[in-house]
Each structure stands twice: as C-alpha cells, then as structure tokens.
Amino acid sequence: MTKLKLLWRRRKTFIVGFIAATGSFLLGVTWPLNLRTNQPLQPIQAQVLAVSQSQEQQPMSNINKFSKAIANRVEFSQQALAQVQAIRFQSAVPSQFQGTTISHARLDSQRKAIALTFDDGPWPKTTTQILDILKENNIKATFFWVGKYLKNSPEIGQQVAAAGHAIGNHTWSHEYLQYNEDGAAREIDRTSSLIEELTGIQTSMFRPPGGILNNGLTAYAQKKNYAVVMWSADSFDWRTLTESLIDNVMRQANSGGIVLMHDGGGNRARTVKALPDIIARLRKEGYSFVTVPELLQMQEQESKQEQTAQK
C-alpha cells in the first residue's frame, strides 16, 4: 500500500469519528426535555430549573430591579464626582497667585486669619494623630506631600483629602540638590500625578524642600503655574522642644500668616503634643483657621473691594 493511500484511509477514519462524535453531542443537547426529565431531578438540577421558571414568570420584576440598580449607581457616581470637585476647589489657588512666590496673605489687620501647614507627609501614626486634632477643633489645614511617602502610605493620604484639607506638592524625594529642568520635572510632575491618581486633586501649590528657591525646582514650578508657598511663621518643630515650638509660632503669628510645621519626615511627637496648645492660644488671640487657598481667596476678595471703593 502506497503512503498516499495510507494517508487517505487515516483521514477518512478521522472524518467518520468526528461526525459520529458531533452527532452524539447534538443528540444529547436536542433530546426532548420531557423525555430527559422523566428521570428524577438531582437537587442542584431542581434548583436551577426552579430559578429558571421563576425568572420566566417574573421578567418585569427583574427588569425593575436592574433599572433601580443602575439608578443607584448613577446617583452614587454623581455624589462621588461632586465630592471630587469640592476637594479640587479646596486646593485651588486664585489665578493671580499662580506662578508667584508667597509667604503670607495681605489682609486687613482686623481680619485675623491664619493657615496651619504641615510638610513631609503623609506619615504613619503622626499624620492621623494630627488629623484627629484638627477634626476635634473643626479646622482645615494645608498639607505639602512628599511623593515617595505618599506612595508608601496612600490610605493616609486619602484620609487627609477626604477630610477636606488642602494639598500641595513637596517634590518626590525631598533632596537638597541642584536640578536641571528635566530633574525638576521628574520631582514635581511625578508627585502631582500620584496626588491626582489617589485623591482626584489637581494641586496648584508647591513648597520647595528646605525653602530653597534657587536650585531649579522653584523655577520649574513657576513655569508650570504653581503658587510657590513659603511661610511667615516657622515652628522649628524639627529641632526644638515643645514649649519652644509653641513660643516660635506665637511670636511670629500675624494676620494672613502661614505657619510651618511637620507631620512627617521623622519623629513628630513634639508637633502632635504642641498642636492643641497652639490652636487654643491662637483662638484666644482671635484667629480663625483657614487653608492656604482660602487665605489667598480672602486677599483677592479684599483687593477687589478696595478697587471697587476707589472707583
């Protein structure tokens, strides 16, 4: 027998077998239901059949449930979107301050408002402790985040944003280096991208590590229309005892002031301990507490009122 004939026989055998198998499958699938269900149903089969019959009897009920589920999801999505938009507004800086460097707001001396700011977080334990103190006192503050720490503690960052505090950019690595434009872009853009990814906030505030203004970071931030936010009152909480920390803040406090403290970057137990006293003393002196964007919005409002009065 030639190889060609052998190959042809094998092919015929395969085709016949395939047709037989296919016919058996179709016969099993299409066999009348009444013949197959003459046998007692197993428990699981009975349950499936009962569910199917129930669905056939109540199609409109299922449609109504489905429509209601869609409506609930749409309503939830709208609420979530409104919350994100509100959070974004809380971190928005008036356009006149974008691309500028500020250390305080120019306010009427009779309007005593001050902004508490916290750098180098989010940080395990300390940031949540500060959040609790702020919540107890019904205060919104401004947090300047380091990207690598936000990456390590994303849940804490989301808690800060959800509580309604304003968020700013404090670079990715918090290094005191000289940067070219590409390096500055990596430090700032990467951090802002992570902030937006985790919280929905498109921040327009930047604070340079150490307050260094001439190492390339500030120049890039201003080019990208960030408000470079410095401070008018330095607590020196990273090197002083609790009582000295409080004295530093109270001595430098003024209307429109921006207070520098830290919630991360190291052991900030002294800041946590001092914060309730700082709040109590500032309140006793008549200060109200606002975020940095709110402080700048107040200055913008006063400027417009002055311009209107001069006309």
Side-chain angles (χ1 to χ4, degrees), residues 9-53:
R9 280 194 175 185
R10 288 178 179 175
R11 182 170 295 180
K12 284 176 64 180
T13 301
F14 171 79
I15 293 171
V16 171
F18 175 78
I19 293 172
T22 303
S24 298
F25 172 77
L26 292 174
L27 183 63
V29 171
T30 59
W31 193 260
L33 182 62
N34 61 335
L35 294 179
R36 285 190 284 130
T37 54
N38 285 336
Q39 301 297 323
L41 292 174
Q42 297 300 318
I44 187 65
Q45 294 172 324
Q47 292 174 19
V48 170
L49 182 59
V51 170
S52 300
Q53 291 172 343

Side-chain angles (χ1 to χ4, degrees), residues 33-294:
L33 182 62
N34 61 335
L35 294 179
R36 285 190 284 130
T37 54
N38 285 336
Q39 301 297 323
L41 292 174
Q42 297 300 318
I44 187 65
Q45 294 172 324
Q47 292 174 19
V48 170
L49 182 59
V51 170
S52 300
Q53 291 172 343
S54 173
Q55 289 176 343
E56 290 174 0
Q57 293 169 0
Q58 299 178 340
M60 290 305 299
S61 175
N62 290 336
I63 292 173
N64 291 338
K65 289 179 181 179
F66 185 65
S67 300
K68 186 176 180 181
I70 293 176
N72 289 339
R73 179 163 294 186
V74 169
E75 182 180 359
F76 175 80
S77 299
Q78 291 172 339
Q79 292 173 349
L81 180 60
Q83 184 180 13
V84 169
Q85 290 172 338
I87 291 173
R88 285 183 174 180
F89 176 76
Q90 289 158 358
S91 294
V93 171
S95 59
Q96 73 180 80
F97 298 102
Q98 294 176 6
T100 68
T101 300
I102 56 173
S103 58
H104 68 283
R106 295 191 301 274
L107 299 182
D108 185 329
S109 59
Q110 300 302 313
R111 192 177 187 182
K112 299 181 74 172
I114 198 165
L116 301 180
T117 69
F118 299 91
D119 285 10
D120 298 355
W123 200 258
K125 188 176 179 179
T126 312
T127 300
T128 54
Q129 289 174 329
I130 288 174
L131 282 179
D132 290 341
I133 295 170
L134 295 173
K135 182 178 180 179
E136 289 170 6
N137 288 275
N138 194 27
I139 290 173
K140 302 301 182 189
T142 305
F143 290 79
F144 289 91
W145 283 342
V146 175
K148 64 180 182 181
Y149 298 149
L150 177 60
K151 182 180 179 181
N152 291 338
S153 302
E155 301 86 359
I156 299 176
Q158 289 169 337
Q159 289 176 29
V160 175
H165 300 287
I167 308 301
N169 185 319
H170 200 38
T171 72
W172 183 266
S173 59
H174 200 280
E175 297 287 349
Y176 303 137
L177 303 174
Q178 193 69 33
Y179 292 91
N180 59 25
E181 186 165 311
D182 288 342
R186 285 192 297 272
E187 286 288 316
I188 295 173
D189 293 348
R190 188 180 179 190
T191 302
S192 287
S193 294
L194 184 59
I195 290 172
E196 183 174 6
E197 176 186 336
L198 292 175
T199 69
I201 294 172
Q202 294 176 322
T203 185
S204 56
M205 294 182 291
F206 172 75
R207 176 171 282 172
I212 300 172
L213 297 173
N214 59 356
N215 65 347
L217 292 171
T218 294
Y220 180 79
Q222 289 177 330
K223 180 179 178 180
K224 292 296 182 177
N225 288 325
Y226 288 86
V228 178
V229 181
M230 303 296 283
W231 54 86
S232 59
D234 191 343
S235 67
F236 290 102
D237 57 349
W238 53 277
R239 73 178 188 186
T240 60
L241 299 177
T242 300
E243 284 302 320
S244 299
L245 188 166
I246 296 171
D247 291 340
N248 290 338
V249 173
M250 299 308 300
R251 186 177 63 254
Q252 301 171 78
N254 59 8
S255 180
I258 299 173
V259 180
L260 170 63
M261 291 182 282
H262 297 79
D263 65 316
N267 185 347
R268 304 305 179 196
R270 286 177 293 197
T271 305
V272 173
K273 185 178 179 180
L275 185 57
D277 285 337
I278 291 172
I279 292 170
R281 294 190 191 190
L282 287 171
R283 273 200 170 133
K284 188 175 181 179
E285 293 193 7
Y287 284 96
S288 60
F289 298 91
V290 296
T291 65
V292 170
E294 289 172 331

